Coordinates of all heavy atoms in Angstrom, one line a residue:
M1 N 96.3 65.5 95.5 CA 95.2 66.3 95.2 C 95.6 67.7 94.7 O 96.5 68.3 95.3 CB 94.4 66.5 96.6 CG 93.1 67.2 96.4 SD 92.2 67.0 98.0 CE 91.3 68.6 98.0
A2 N 94.9 68.2 93.7 CA 95.3 69.4 93.1 C 94.8 70.6 94.0 O 93.8 70.5 94.6 CB 94.7 69.6 91.7
S3 N 95.6 71.7 93.9 CA 95.2 72.8 94.7 C 94.1 73.6 94.0 O 93.9 73.4 92.8 CB 96.4 73.7 94.9 OG 96.8 74.4 93.7
E4 N 93.5 74.5 94.7 CA 92.4 75.3 94.1 C 93.0 76.1 92.9 O 92.4 76.2 91.9 CB 91.8 76.3 95.1 CG 90.7 77.1 94.6 CD 90.0 77.9 95.6 OE1 90.3 77.8 96.8 OE2 89.1 78.8 95.2
N5 N 94.2 76.7 93.1 CA 94.8 77.4 92.0 C 95.1 76.5 90.8 O 94.9 77.0 89.6 CB 96.2 78.1 92.4 CG 95.9 79.3 93.3 OD1 94.8 79.9 93.3 ND2 97.0 79.6 94.1
E6 N 95.5 75.3 91.0 CA 95.7 74.4 89.9 C 94.4 74.1 89.2 O 94.3 74.0 87.9 CB 96.4 73.1 90.3 CG 97.9 73.3 90.7 CD 98.5 72.1 91.4 OE1 97.7 71.3 92.0 OE2 99.7 72.0 91.3
D7 N 93.4 73.9 90.0 CA 92.0 73.7 89.4 C 91.6 74.8 88.6 O 91.0 74.7 87.5 CB 91.0 73.4 90.5 CG 91.2 72.0 91.2 OD1 92.0 71.2 90.6 OD2 90.7 71.8 92.3
L8 N 91.8 76.0 89.1 CA 91.4 77.3 88.4 C 92.2 77.4 87.1 O 91.7 77.8 86.0 CB 91.5 78.5 89.2 CG 90.4 78.6 90.3 CD1 90.8 79.8 91.2 CD2 89.1 78.8 89.7
D9 N 93.5 77.1 87.2 CA 94.4 77.2 86.0 C 93.8 76.2 84.9 O 93.8 76.6 83.7 CB 95.8 76.8 86.3 CG 96.5 77.9 87.2 OD1 96.0 79.0 87.2 OD2 97.6 77.6 87.7
K10 N 93.5 75.0 85.3 CA 93.0 74.0 84.4 C 91.7 74.5 83.8 O 91.4 74.4 82.6 CB 92.8 72.7 85.1 CG 92.4 71.6 84.1 CD 92.2 70.2 84.9 CE 91.7 69.2 83.9 NZ 91.4 68.0 84.5
E11 N 90.8 75.0 84.6 CA 89.5 75.5 84.2 C 89.7 76.6 83.1 O 89.0 76.7 82.1 CB 88.6 75.9 85.3 CG 87.2 76.3 85.0 CD 86.4 76.7 86.2 OE1 86.8 76.3 87.4 OE2 85.4 77.4 86.0
F12 N 90.6 77.5 83.4 CA 90.8 78.7 82.5 C 91.4 78.1 81.2 O 91.0 78.6 80.1 CB 91.8 79.7 83.1 CG 92.1 80.9 82.3 CD1 91.1 81.7 81.9 CD2 93.4 81.1 81.9 CE1 91.4 82.8 81.1 CE2 93.7 82.2 81.1 CZ 92.7 83.1 80.7
E13 N 92.3 77.2 81.2 CA 92.9 76.6 80.0 C 91.8 75.9 79.2 O 91.8 76.1 78.0 CB 94.0 75.6 80.4 CG 95.3 76.3 80.9 CD 95.9 77.3 80.0 OE1 96.0 77.1 78.7 OE2 96.3 78.4 80.4
E14 N 91.0 75.2 79.8 CA 89.9 74.5 79.1 C 88.9 75.5 78.5 O 88.4 75.3 77.4 CB 89.1 73.6 80.1 CG 90.0 72.4 80.5 CD 89.3 71.5 81.6 OE1 88.3 72.0 82.2 OE2 89.9 70.4 81.8
W15 N 88.6 76.6 79.2 CA 87.7 77.6 78.7 C 88.4 78.3 77.5 O 87.7 78.6 76.5 CB 87.5 78.7 79.8 CG 86.7 79.8 79.4 CD1 85.3 79.9 79.3 CD2 87.2 81.1 78.8 NE1 85.0 81.2 78.8 CE2 86.1 81.9 78.5 CE3 88.5 81.6 78.7 CZ2 86.2 83.1 78.0 CZ3 88.6 82.8 78.1 CH2 87.5 83.6 77.8
K16 N 89.7 78.6 77.6 CA 90.4 79.2 76.4 C 90.3 78.3 75.2 O 90.0 78.8 74.1 CB 91.9 79.5 76.7 CG 92.1 80.6 77.7 CD 93.6 81.0 77.8 CE 94.5 79.9 77.7 NZ 95.9 80.2 77.9
I17 N 90.5 77.0 75.4 CA 90.4 76.1 74.2 C 89.0 76.1 73.7 O 88.8 76.1 72.5 CB 90.8 74.7 74.7 CG1 92.4 74.7 75.0 CG2 90.5 73.6 73.6 CD1 92.8 73.4 75.7
E18 N 88.0 76.0 74.6 CA 86.6 75.9 74.1 C 86.2 77.1 73.3 O 85.5 77.0 72.3 CB 85.7 75.8 75.3 CG 84.2 75.8 75.0 CD 83.3 75.8 76.2 OE1 83.8 75.6 77.4 OE2 82.1 75.9 76.1
H19 N 86.8 78.3 73.6 CA 86.4 79.5 73.0 C 87.5 80.1 72.0 O 87.4 81.2 71.5 CB 86.0 80.6 74.0 CG 84.8 80.2 74.8 ND1 83.5 80.2 74.3 CD2 84.7 79.7 76.1 CE1 82.7 79.8 75.2 NE2 83.3 79.5 76.3
G20 N 88.5 79.3 71.8 CA 89.5 79.7 70.8 C 90.3 80.9 71.2 O 90.7 81.7 70.4
K21 N 90.6 81.0 72.5 CA 91.3 82.2 73.0 C 92.8 82.0 73.0 O 93.3 81.0 73.4 CB 90.8 82.5 74.4 CG 89.4 82.9 74.6 CD 89.1 84.2 74.0 CE 87.6 84.6 74.2 NZ 87.4 86.0 74.1
E22 N 93.5 83.0 72.4 CA 94.9 83.1 72.4 C 95.3 84.5 72.7 O 94.7 85.4 72.2 CB 95.5 82.6 71.1 CG 95.3 81.1 70.8 CD 95.9 80.7 69.5 OE1 96.8 81.5 68.9 OE2 95.6 79.6 69.0
Y23 N 96.3 84.7 73.5 CA 96.7 86.1 73.8 C 98.1 86.3 73.3 O 99.0 85.4 73.2 CB 96.7 86.2 75.3 CG 95.3 85.9 75.9 CD1 95.1 84.7 76.6 CD2 94.2 86.7 75.6 CE1 93.8 84.4 77.1 CE2 92.9 86.4 76.1 CZ 92.7 85.2 76.8 OH 91.5 84.9 77.3
K24 N 98.4 87.6 73.0 CA 99.7 88.0 72.4 C 100.9 88.0 73.4 O 102.0 88.0 72.9 CB 99.5 89.4 71.8 CG 98.6 89.4 70.6 CD 98.4 90.8 70.0 CE 97.4 90.8 68.9 NZ 97.2 92.1 68.3
S25 N 100.6 88.1 74.6 CA 101.7 88.1 75.6 C 101.3 87.5 76.9 O 100.1 87.3 77.2 CB 102.1 89.6 75.8 OG 101.1 90.3 76.5
E26 N 102.2 87.2 77.8 CA 101.9 86.7 79.1 C 101.2 87.8 79.9 O 100.3 87.4 80.7 CB 103.2 86.3 79.8 CG 103.9 85.1 79.3 CD 105.1 84.7 80.0 OE1 105.4 85.2 81.1 OE2 105.9 83.8 79.5
E27 N 101.5 89.0 79.7 CA 100.9 90.1 80.4 C 99.4 90.2 80.1 O 98.5 90.4 80.9 CB 101.6 91.5 80.1 CG 102.9 91.6 80.7 CD 104.0 90.9 79.8 OE1 103.8 90.5 78.7 OE2 105.1 90.7 80.3
E28 N 99.1 90.1 78.7 CA 97.7 90.1 78.3 C 97.0 88.9 78.9 O 95.8 89.0 79.3 CB 97.6 90.2 76.8 CG 96.1 90.2 76.4 CD 95.9 90.2 74.9 OE1 96.8 90.0 74.1 OE2 94.7 90.3 74.5
E29 N 97.6 87.7 78.9 CA 96.9 86.6 79.4 C 96.6 86.7 80.9 O 95.6 86.4 81.4 CB 97.8 85.3 79.2 CG 97.1 84.1 79.8 CD 97.4 82.8 79.1 OE1 97.9 82.8 77.9 OE2 97.2 81.8 79.7
A30 N 97.6 87.3 81.6 CA 97.4 87.5 83.1 C 96.2 88.5 83.3 O 95.3 88.3 84.2 CB 98.6 88.0 83.7
K31 N 96.1 89.5 82.5 CA 95.0 90.5 82.6 C 93.7 89.8 82.3 O 92.7 90.0 83.0 CB 95.3 91.7 81.6 CG 94.1 92.6 81.6 CD 94.4 93.7 80.5 CE 93.2 94.6 80.3 NZ 93.3 95.6 79.3
R32 N 93.7 89.0 81.2 CA 92.4 88.4 80.8 C 92.0 87.3 81.8 O 90.8 87.1 82.0 CB 92.6 87.8 79.4 CG 92.8 88.8 78.3 CD 91.7 89.8 78.2 NE 92.0 90.9 77.3 CZ 91.2 91.9 77.1 NH1 90.0 91.9 77.6 NH2 91.6 92.9 76.3
K33 N 93.0 86.7 82.4 CA 92.6 85.7 83.4 C 92.0 86.3 84.6 O 91.1 85.8 85.2 CB 93.9 84.8 83.8 CG 93.5 83.7 84.8 CD 94.8 82.9 85.0 CE 94.4 81.7 86.0 NZ 95.6 80.9 86.3
T34 N 92.6 87.5 85.0 CA 92.0 88.2 86.1 C 90.6 88.6 85.9 O 89.7 88.4 86.7 CB 92.9 89.5 86.4 OG1 94.2 89.0 86.8 CG2 92.3 90.3 87.5
I35 N 90.3 89.1 84.7 CA 88.9 89.5 84.3 C 88.0 88.2 84.3 O 86.9 88.2 84.8 CB 88.9 90.2 82.9 CG1 89.7 91.5 83.0 CG2 87.5 90.4 82.4 CD1 90.0 92.1 81.6
W36 N 88.5 87.1 83.7 CA 87.8 85.9 83.7 C 87.5 85.4 85.1 O 86.3 85.0 85.4 CB 88.7 84.8 83.0 CG 88.0 83.5 82.9 CD1 87.2 83.0 81.9 CD2 88.3 82.4 83.8 NE1 86.8 81.7 82.2 CE2 87.5 81.3 83.3 CE3 89.1 82.2 84.9 CZ2 87.5 80.1 83.9 CZ3 89.1 81.0 85.5 CH2 88.3 79.9 85.0
L37 N 88.4 85.5 86.0 CA 88.2 85.1 87.4 C 87.1 86.0 88.1 O 86.2 85.5 88.8 CB 89.5 85.2 88.2 CG 90.5 84.1 88.0 CD1 91.8 84.4 88.6 CD2 90.0 82.7 88.5
Q38 N 87.1 87.3 87.8 CA 86.1 88.2 88.3 C 84.7 87.8 87.7 O 83.7 87.8 88.4 CB 86.4 89.6 87.9 CG 87.6 90.2 88.7 CD 88.1 91.5 88.1 OE1 87.7 91.9 87.0 NE2 89.0 92.1 88.9
S39 N 84.7 87.5 86.4 CA 83.4 87.0 85.8 C 82.9 85.7 86.4 O 81.7 85.6 86.7 CB 83.6 86.8 84.3 OG 83.9 88.0 83.7
R40 N 83.8 84.8 86.6 CA 83.5 83.5 87.2 C 82.9 83.7 88.6 O 81.9 83.1 89.0 CB 84.8 82.6 87.3 CG 84.6 81.3 87.8 CD 85.9 80.5 87.9 NE 85.7 79.2 88.4 CZ 85.7 78.9 89.7 NH1 85.9 79.9 90.6 NH2 85.6 77.6 90.1
N41 N 83.6 84.6 89.4 CA 83.1 84.8 90.8 C 81.7 85.5 90.8 O 80.8 85.1 91.6 CB 84.1 85.7 91.6 CG 85.3 85.0 91.9 OD1 85.4 83.7 92.0 ND2 86.4 85.7 92.1
F42 N 81.5 86.4 89.8 CA 80.2 87.0 89.7 C 79.1 86.0 89.4 O 78.0 86.0 90.0 CB 80.2 88.1 88.6 CG 78.8 88.6 88.3 CD1 78.3 89.7 89.1 CD2 78.0 88.1 87.3 CE1 77.0 90.1 88.8 CE2 76.7 88.6 87.0 CZ 76.2 89.6 87.8
V43 N 79.4 85.1 88.4 CA 78.5 84.0 88.0 C 78.1 83.1 89.2 O 77.0 82.8 89.5 CB 79.0 83.2 86.9 CG1 78.2 81.9 86.7 CG2 79.0 84.0 85.6
I44 N 79.2 82.7 90.0 CA 78.9 81.9 91.1 C 78.1 82.5 92.2 O 77.1 82.0 92.7 CB 80.3 81.4 91.7 CG1 81.0 80.5 90.8 CG2 80.1 80.8 93.1 CD1 82.5 80.2 91.2
E45 N 78.4 83.8 92.5 CA 77.6 84.5 93.5 C 76.2 84.8 93.0 O 75.2 84.6 93.8 CB 78.3 85.8 93.9 CG 79.6 85.6 94.6 CD 79.4 84.8 95.9 OE1 78.5 85.0 96.7 OE2 80.2 83.8 96.1
H46 N 76.0 85.1 91.8 CA 74.7 85.4 91.2 C 73.8 84.1 91.3 O 72.7 84.1 91.7 CB 74.7 85.9 89.8 CG 73.4 86.0 89.2 ND1 72.6 87.2 89.4 CD2 72.6 85.2 88.5 CE1 71.4 87.0 88.8 NE2 71.4 85.8 88.2
N47 N 74.4 83.0 90.9 CA 73.7 81.7 90.8 C 73.3 81.2 92.2 O 72.3 80.5 92.4 CB 74.4 80.7 90.0 CG 74.4 81.0 88.5 OD1 73.6 81.9 88.1 ND2 75.3 80.4 87.8
K48 N 74.1 81.6 93.3 CA 73.8 81.3 94.6 C 72.5 82.1 95.0 O 71.6 81.5 95.7 CB 74.9 81.7 95.6 CG 76.1 80.8 95.6 CD 77.1 81.3 96.6 CE 78.4 80.4 96.6 NZ 79.4 81.0 97.5
K49 N 72.4 83.3 94.5 CA 71.2 84.1 94.8 C 70.0 83.5 94.1 O 68.9 83.4 94.6 CB 71.4 85.5 94.3 CG 72.3 86.3 95.2 CD 72.5 87.7 94.6 CE 73.6 88.4 95.4 NZ 73.9 89.8 94.9
Y50 N 70.2 82.9 92.9 CA 69.1 82.2 92.2 C 68.7 81.0 93.0 O 67.5 80.8 93.1 CB 69.6 81.8 90.8 CG 68.6 80.9 90.1 CD1 67.5 81.5 89.4 CD2 68.7 79.6 90.1 CE1 66.6 80.7 88.7 CE2 67.8 78.8 89.4 CZ 66.7 79.4 88.7 OH 65.8 78.6 88.1
D51 N 69.6 80.2 93.5 CA 69.3 79.0 94.3 C 68.5 79.4 95.5 O 67.7 78.6 96.0 CB 70.6 78.3 94.6 CG 71.3 77.6 93.5 OD1 70.6 77.4 92.4 OD2 72.5 77.3 93.6
Q52 N 68.7 80.6 96.0 CA 68.0 81.0 97.2 C 66.7 81.8 96.9 O 66.0 82.3 97.8 CB 68.9 81.9 98.1 CG 70.1 81.2 98.6 CD 71.2 82.2 99.1 OE1 71.1 83.4 99.1 NE2 72.3 81.6 99.7
G53 N 66.3 81.8 95.6 CA 65.1 82.5 95.2 C 65.2 84.0 95.2 O 64.1 84.7 95.1
E54 N 66.4 84.6 95.2 CA 66.5 86.0 95.2 C 66.6 86.7 93.8 O 66.6 87.9 93.7 CB 67.8 86.4 96.0 CG 67.8 85.9 97.4 CD 69.1 86.2 98.2 OE1 69.9 87.1 97.7 OE2 69.3 85.6 99.2
T55 N 66.7 85.9 92.8 CA 66.7 86.4 91.4 C 66.0 85.3 90.6 O 65.9 84.1 91.0 CB 68.1 86.7 90.9 OG1 68.0 87.3 89.7 CG2 69.0 85.5 90.8
T56 N 65.6 85.7 89.4 CA 64.8 84.8 88.5 C 65.5 84.1 87.4 O 64.9 83.4 86.6 CB 63.5 85.5 88.0 OG1 64.0 86.6 87.2 CG2 62.6 86.0 89.1
F57 N 66.8 84.4 87.3 CA 67.6 83.8 86.2 C 69.0 83.4 86.6 O 69.5 83.9 87.6 CB 67.7 84.8 85.0 CG 68.4 86.1 85.4 CD1 69.7 86.3 85.1 CD2 67.7 87.1 85.9 CE1 70.4 87.4 85.4 CE2 68.3 88.3 86.3 CZ 69.7 88.5 86.0
T58 N 69.6 82.5 85.9 CA 71.0 82.1 86.2 C 71.9 82.8 85.2 O 71.5 83.3 84.1 CB 71.1 80.6 86.1 OG1 70.8 80.2 84.7 CG2 70.3 79.9 87.1
C59 N 73.2 82.8 85.5 CA 74.2 83.3 84.6 C 75.2 82.2 84.3 O 75.2 81.2 85.0 CB 75.0 84.4 85.3 SG 74.1 86.0 85.5
G60 N 76.0 82.4 83.3 CA 77.0 81.4 82.9 C 78.2 82.1 82.2 O 78.1 83.2 81.9
M61 N 79.2 81.3 82.1 CA 80.4 81.8 81.4 C 80.2 81.6 79.9 O 79.6 80.7 79.5 CB 81.6 81.0 81.9 CG 81.9 81.1 83.4 SD 82.4 82.7 83.9 CE 84.1 82.8 83.4
N62 N 80.8 82.6 79.1 CA 80.7 82.5 77.7 C 82.0 83.0 77.1 O 83.0 83.3 77.8 CB 79.5 83.1 77.2 CG 79.4 84.6 77.4 OD1 80.5 85.3 77.6 ND2 78.2 85.2 77.5
H63 N 82.0 83.2 75.8 CA 83.2 83.7 75.0 C 83.6 85.2 75.4 O 84.6 85.6 75.0 CB 82.9 83.6 73.5 CG 81.8 84.5 73.1 ND1 80.5 84.2 73.3 CD2 81.8 85.7 72.4 CE1 79.7 85.2 72.8 NE2 80.5 86.1 72.2
M64 N 82.7 85.9 76.1 CA 83.0 87.2 76.5 C 83.5 87.3 78.0 O 83.7 88.4 78.5 CB 81.8 88.1 76.3 CG 81.5 88.2 74.8 SD 80.1 89.4 74.5 CE 78.7 88.5 75.1
S65 N 83.7 86.2 78.6 CA 84.0 86.2 80.1 C 85.4 86.8 80.4 O 85.7 87.0 81.6 CB 83.9 84.8 80.6 OG 82.6 84.4 80.5
D66 N 86.2 87.0 79.4 CA 87.5 87.6 79.6 C 87.6 89.1 79.1 O 88.7 89.7 79.0 CB 88.7 86.8 78.9 CG 88.6 86.8 77.4 OD1 87.5 87.1 76.9 OD2 89.6 86.6 76.8
L67 N 86.4 89.7 78.9 CA 86.4 91.0 78.4 C 85.9 92.0 79.4 O 85.1 91.7 80.3 CB 85.4 91.1 77.2 CG 85.8 90.2 76.0 CD1 84.7 90.4 74.9 CD2 87.2 90.5 75.4
E68 N 86.4 93.2 79.3 CA 86.0 94.3 80.2 C 84.6 94.8 79.7 O 84.3 94.7 78.5 CB 87.0 95.4 80.2 CG 88.4 95.0 80.8 CD 89.4 96.1 80.8 OE1 89.9 96.4 79.7 OE2 89.7 96.6 81.9
P69 N 83.9 95.5 80.6 CA 82.5 95.9 80.2 C 82.5 96.8 78.9 O 81.6 96.6 78.1 CB 82.0 96.7 81.4 CG 82.7 96.0 82.5 CD 84.1 95.7 82.0
H70 N 83.5 97.7 78.7 CA 83.4 98.5 77.6 C 83.7 97.7 76.3 O 83.3 98.1 75.2 CB 84.4 99.7 77.7 CG 85.8 99.4 77.6 ND1 86.6 98.9 78.6 CD2 86.7 99.4 76.5 CE1 87.8 98.7 78.2 NE2 87.9 99.0 76.9
E71 N 84.4 96.6 76.4 CA 84.7 95.7 75.2 C 83.4 94.9 74.9 O 83.2 94.7 73.7 CB 85.8 94.8 75.5 CG 87.1 95.5 75.7 CD 88.2 94.6 76.2 OE1 88.0 93.8 77.2 OE2 89.3 94.6 75.6
I72 N 82.6 94.6 75.8 CA 81.4 93.8 75.6 C 80.4 94.7 74.9 O 79.8 94.2 73.9 CB 80.8 93.2 76.9 CG1 81.8 92.2 77.4 CG2 79.5 92.6 76.7 CD1 81.5 91.7 78.8
C73 N 80.3 95.9 75.3 CA 79.3 96.8 74.6 C 79.7 97.0 73.2 O 78.8 97.5 72.4 CB 79.1 98.1 75.4 SG 80.5 99.2 75.2
C74 N 80.8 96.7 72.8 CA 81.3 96.9 71.4 C 81.3 95.6 70.6 O 82.0 95.3 69.7 CB 82.7 97.4 71.4 SG 82.8 99.1 72.1
G75 N 80.4 94.7 71.1 CA 80.3 93.4 70.4 C 81.4 92.4 70.6 O 81.7 91.5 69.8
G76 N 82.2 92.6 71.6 CA 83.3 91.7 71.9 C 84.6 92.1 71.2 O 85.6 91.4 71.3
R77 N 84.6 93.2 70.4 CA 85.9 93.6 69.8 C 86.8 94.2 70.8 O 86.3 94.8 71.8 CB 85.6 94.7 68.7 CG 84.8 94.1 67.5 CD 84.7 95.1 66.4 NE 84.2 96.4 66.9 CZ 82.9 96.7 66.8 NH1 82.0 95.9 66.4 NH2 82.5 97.9 67.2
R78 N 88.1 94.0 70.7 CA 89.0 94.6 71.6 C 89.1 96.1 71.5 O 89.4 96.8 72.5 CB 90.4 94.0 71.4 CG 90.5 92.5 71.7 CD 90.7 92.3 73.2 NE 91.2 91.0 73.5 CZ 90.4 89.9 73.6 NH1 89.2 89.9 73.3 NH2 91.0 88.7 74.0
K79 N 88.9 96.6 70.3 CA 89.0 98.1 70.2 C 87.6 98.6 69.7 O 87.0 98.1 68.8 CB 90.0 98.5 69.2 CG 91.4 98.4 69.6 CD 92.3 99.0 68.6 CE 93.8 99.0 69.1 NZ 94.7 99.6 68.2
C80 N 87.1 99.6 70.4 CA 85.8 100.1 70.1 C 86.0 101.3 69.2 O 87.0 102.1 69.3 CB 85.0 100.6 71.3 SG 84.6 99.2 72.4
H81 N 85.1 101.5 68.3 CA 85.2 102.7 67.4 C 84.6 103.9 68.2 O 83.7 103.8 69.0 CB 84.3 102.5 66.2 CG 84.8 101.4 65.3 ND1 86.0 101.4 64.6 CD2 84.3 100.1 65.1 CE1 86.2 100.3 63.9 NE2 85.2 99.5 64.3
K82 N 85.2 105.1 68.0 CA 84.7 106.3 68.6 C 83.3 106.6 68.0 O 83.1 106.4 66.8 CB 85.6 107.4 68.4 CG 87.0 107.3 69.1 CD 87.8 108.5 68.8 CE 89.2 108.4 69.5 NZ 90.0 109.6 69.3
E83 N 82.4 107.0 68.9 CA 81.1 107.3 68.5 C 81.2 108.6 67.6 O 81.9 109.5 67.8 CB 80.2 107.6 69.6 CG 79.9 106.4 70.4 CD 78.9 106.7 71.6 OE1 78.2 107.7 71.5 OE2 78.8 105.9 72.5
K84 N 80.4 108.6 66.5 CA 80.4 109.7 65.6 C 79.5 110.8 66.3 O 78.5 110.5 66.9 CB 79.7 109.3 64.3 CG 80.5 108.4 63.5 CD 79.9 108.0 62.2 CE 80.7 107.0 61.4 NZ 80.1 106.7 60.1
T85 N 80.0 112.0 66.3 CA 79.3 113.1 66.8 C 78.5 113.8 65.8 O 78.9 113.9 64.6 CB 80.3 114.1 67.5 OG1 81.2 114.6 66.5 CG2 81.0 113.5 68.7
E86 N 77.3 114.2 66.1 CA 76.5 114.9 65.2 C 76.9 116.3 65.0 O 77.2 117.0 66.0 CB 75.0 114.8 65.6 CG 74.5 113.4 65.6 CD 73.0 113.3 65.9 OE1 72.3 114.3 65.7 OE2 72.6 112.2 66.5
S87 N 76.9 116.8 63.8 CA 77.3 118.2 63.6 C 76.1 119.1 63.4 O 75.1 118.7 63.0 CB 78.1 118.3 62.3 OG 79.1 117.4 62.2

């Protein structure tokens, strides 16, 4: 029987394939996996609240599940452009 960590590793690998994710280094992959795990836990906890009638919508994992919030607000790009300041 596979351990929970092995199951999560397999799930992460399948998610990367589904969304065409490749990382430049082991360090970046570890960082992205940590973010992905946090996203996954958020989705699970939120959907429990939905099941209990505490919220009106469900959440799911998608191509942005390995991104930090500031990356998501930039359309999923890894580097955000600095906002132009008005003169």
Side-chain angles (χ1 to χ4, degrees):
M1 185 169 149
S3 72
E4 184 178 352
N5 284 341
E6 289 172 336
D7 290 344
L8 287 173
D9 289 344
K10 181 179 179 189
E11 186 177 338
F12 182 62
E13 290 301 318
E14 290 171 352
W15 175 86
K16 287 189 329 182
I17 291 167
E18 178 181 352
H19 296 289
K21 298 288 184 162
E22 294 182 14
Y23 305 108
K24 294 180 182 180
S25 67
E26 289 181 16
E27 292 80 13
E28 182 184 4
E29 179 150 341
K31 175 184 173 182
R32 297 297 170 182
K33 185 176 182 182
T34 297
I35 296 167
W36 179 85
L37 286 167
Q38 292 168 346
S39 297
R40 183 182 179 277
N41 289 336
F42 173 84
V43 167
I44 289 168
E45 292 305 313
H46 175 85
N47 290 344
K48 284 180 185 176
K49 291 178 183 177
Y50 174 82
D51 291 342
Q52 297 168 353
E54 297 176 22
T55 187
T56 59
F57 62 95
T58 59
C59 291
M61 300 294 281
N62 63 28
H63 64 285
M64 296 185 288
S65 296
D66 66 339
L67 301 179
E68 296 178 287
H70 74 275
E71 294 172 312
I72 293 169
C73 73
C74 296
R77 294 188 305 269
R78 293 278 197 281
K79 287 189 174 182
C80 296
H81 299 286
K82 291 182 181 179
E83 291 184 20
K84 294 181 181 179
T85 56
E86 294 183 27
S87 312

